[in-house]
Amino acid sequence: MDYIMLDLEWNQTYMQRALAVQKRIGAHLHGEVIQIGAVKLDENMNITGSYSIIVKPRFFTKIHKHVRDLTGISQEMIDHGTPLPAAADSFRRWCGKNFVLLTWGPDDVPMLRENLTAHGISPAWLDCDYDLQKIYSRQKENGAQKQRSLEFAMEALGVTQTLPAHDALNDAYFTALVAQKLELAAGVRDYGPRGEQFLYDKTYGDSDIGEIGYETVEEVLASPESGADDCPLCHTPPQILTRSLHGRGHKYQTLCHCEKDGDLFYTIRISPNFDGTFRFRKTVTVADPAEAEAYRKKLEESSQKRRRRPRRRHRAATRPEAAPQAKPAD
């Protein structure tokens, strides 16, 4: 089996253009792939090949200034790039028959899925993917749920930055060098047959594609859809074991237990829509023991911080010398 380190660069567009495109195609498309980079490792962790291609966008055809400045990819380069259907087919054939995909972080494969779906291409061949960022966290940081950057991992493992970042091939190459420092086969095996696969994955309130968005984050959290409903495997109600843990951004995770299928993570990630409302993506995954323990530890740390936090509002309100709050202007 080969390990394919995958990295993408994608173009973005302005709000009204993105909104119009998503409504027209009736699907998510928050960015359009303009470069695919990959490095192949064999079972002995030797680099055996590399792949890079510039992709010609179909929907967001003008390079965004920020993307151009970050990646160095110019308008002329994408104008002469390979259309995604041909690029994806070429990349898939380069991967071979027996492979798994690894990315640094959770964004690249979903982005490629969105792009393939927008072109009417099945993304099923992307199903066997793993997040190397999580494998690094488990093996080098005792499973701590920290989203370390690739640059952080490189420095920690003694990998020298010798090529510019934000080039898909360069980033895939450095991801491969980090992977060589890990027990990759064990990391992939320890994901388990279902451990990182979504048992449930649905987005609610996406006004970008015509749904009715939520007015506030509080409305999302109060909605029945955001709660821990039936186990996706056996369709019985799980037991909620803990309160929700608020992670980076608007990410909320709850640990539940199903009598038949074990511990489950119910996760929602809240994102803004283009019209100022909110949507959320709800996923359910099996929680392996290490993840569940790391989650409980982080939850306890969060609780301790809350208990130590001084109640400044209360003291200010009871001090005689506290100034009265200013009234809002008419």
Side-chain angles (χ1 to χ4, degrees), residues 179-197:
Q180 289 178 326
K181 303 282 188 177
L182 302 175
E183 297 294 333
L184 189 56
V188 169
R189 183 191 66 242
D190 291 345
Y191 256 62
R194 298 176 307 172
E196 296 299 324
Q197 297 176 15

Side-chain angles (χ1 to χ4, degrees), residues 22 76 83 89 144 255 267 277 304 320:
Q22 291 190 123
E76 182 179 8
D89 181 65
L255 181 63
T267 305
T277 62
Q304 290 175 358

